[in-house]
Amino acid sequence: MLVHGGCAHAEGERLHPELSPDKDGWAPSMDPRLSVTNGGKTTLAKNLQKHLPNCSVISQDDFFKPESEIETDKNGFLQYDVLEALNMEKMMSAISCWMENPRHSLVSTDRGGAEETPILIVEGFLLFNYKPLDTIWSRSYFLTIPYDECKRRRSTRVYEPPDPPGYFDGHVWPMYLKHRQEMESITWEVVYLDGTKSEEDLFSQVYEDLIQELAKSVGK
């Protein structure tokens, strides 16, 4: 998950050096899906949005291409867990639109009205593998869960189209391992989160971290 200042990305998140709090606000980023599939990134993003003022969420899952445009491999598996299955240009356009006109609101303080810093959370499973996103974020998070737990959670979800037999082991998990290996070239800090923790524990960990980063940014 990524957060940016305001923008968060749920795989990961980091501070963009050219975004000043006075001009553009704070940019956290967080993405819990590269993070792994069914790792809890969407739930975490929604929980953060409920508790952070001026917080918007963009989900990578909303930018999948139609099934007719998804390629299949030699086993007949639809290749959904690759960047080519997503309209990333459209997602980048949505992020750019938000950055050009982020949501602001006034809150009451002891000294009168004050403008809250806008925050954007971008959550998805392939955010760290899309280079145009590299320079946008203030903080980056990556949710991880072990193979057995990931497979169990996947089996409880209903997809359209539904997963065919063998799809998890034949496509989903191998693609996760491939994309995770690609992350070794990342040069900025990524906070790795244990996706087996409770929703409450994950929320508290990330929320406190973001509040600390926001305080640092505002104080500069």
Side-chain angles (χ1 to χ4, degrees), residues 78-202:
L78 289 165
Q79 301 295 286
Y80 273 108
D81 286 55
V82 296
L83 281 171
E84 290 74 17
L86 296 148
N87 190 333
M88 293 303 294
E89 293 79 9
K90 187 175 181 180
M91 193 185 85
M92 288 298 296
S93 177
I95 293 173
S96 297
C97 287
W98 183 93
M99 294 177 70
E100 292 171 2
N101 187 28
R103 186 182 67 181
H104 294 264
S105 64
L106 294 178
V107 296
S108 297
T109 68
D110 293 339
R111 300 180 181 180
E115 193 174 75
E116 287 285 349
T117 299
I119 296 173
L120 174 64
I121 294 175
V122 181
E123 65 92 3
F125 71 110
L126 277 180
L127 298 176
F128 291 138
N129 301 74
Y130 188 63
K131 295 303 181 183
L133 287 170
D134 284 0
T135 60
I136 295 178
W137 314 110
S138 61
R139 294 291 288 166
S140 299
Y141 300 93
F142 189 99
L143 278 161
T144 63
I145 53 176
Y147 166 85
D148 289 340
E149 177 63 12
C150 183
K151 189 173 184 177
R152 184 193 69 78
R153 293 185 188 182
R154 180 89 180 193
S155 68
T156 66
R157 297 280 297 275
V158 177
Y159 292 93
E160 185 57 45
D163 286 353
Y167 189 67
F168 182 85
D169 289 309
H171 174 64
V172 176
W173 190 254
M175 286 298 99
Y176 164 69
L177 295 177
K178 175 180 180 292
H179 297 139
R180 179 69 183 271
Q181 186 176 24
E182 292 174 358
M183 285 181 60
E184 294 179 1
S185 62
I186 289 178
T187 57
W188 69 87
E189 179 184 4
V190 176
V191 178
Y192 288 87
L193 305 172
D194 181 357
T196 63
K197 290 184 176 180
S198 68
E199 292 179 12
E200 293 78 11
D201 287 344
L202 285 171

